């Protein structure tokens, strides 16, 4: 189950720069990196986005826009350490 993922290729052009991600997650392992959401192929022509738990139990948003040579990393100050709670991340 750890290596399963959803994949979608759009058949018609859309605005790929505007979207909302909404996730309900429940932690089962603390102090270890865990990917929550990823998009793109990681190439400069496609861009790449990632939302993940960090080893310090914070969440980080990483974005490399289309044709960009720089990445933007935005970590949270909040720690997500309650393994009995559901977190709604939007």
């Amino acid at each position: 189950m750890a290596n399963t993922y959803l994949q979608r290729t759009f058949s018609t052009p859309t605005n790929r720069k505007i979207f909302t991600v909404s996730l309900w997650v429940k932690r089962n392992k603390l102090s270890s990196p865990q990917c929550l959401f990823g998009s793109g192929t990681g190439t400069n022509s496609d861009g790449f986005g990632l939302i993940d738990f960090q080893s310090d139990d914070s969440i980080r948003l990483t974005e490399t826009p289309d044709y960009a040579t720089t990445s933007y990393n935005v970590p949270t100050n909040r720690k997500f350490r309650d393994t009995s709670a559901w977190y709604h991340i939007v």
Side-chain angles (χ1 to χ4, degrees):
M1 185 67 116
N3 293 327
T4 60
Y5 59 91
L6 294 172
Q7 180 176 341
R8 170 140 187 185
T9 302
F10 294 99
S11 58
T12 58
T14 61
N15 186 339
R16 300 181 314 170
K17 296 180 181 181
I18 300 173
F19 60 92
T20 301
V21 175
S22 175
L23 307 167
W24 282 98
V25 296
K26 188 173 184 179
R27 303 280 325 254
N28 65 353
K29 185 182 352 175
L30 300 177
S31 302
S32 89
Q34 297 169 305
C35 180
L36 300 174
F37 176 85
S39 66
T41 62
T43 64
N44 284 343
S45 62
D46 189 32
F48 179 76
L50 178 69
I51 300 171
D52 61 343
F53 282 113
Q54 298 294 288
S55 57
D56 67 353
D57 298 318
S58 65
I59 292 178
R60 177 186 65 175
L61 168 67
T62 303
E63 179 67 29
T64 302
D66 293 349
Y67 301 106
T69 58
T70 59
S71 291
Y72 303 97
N73 292 301
V74 182
T76 62
N77 293 328
R78 182 177 176 187
K79 306 298 182 189
F80 298 85
R81 294 185 174 135
D82 188 350
T83 56
S84 66
W86 283 93
Y87 295 106
H88 186 201
I89 300 165
V90 180

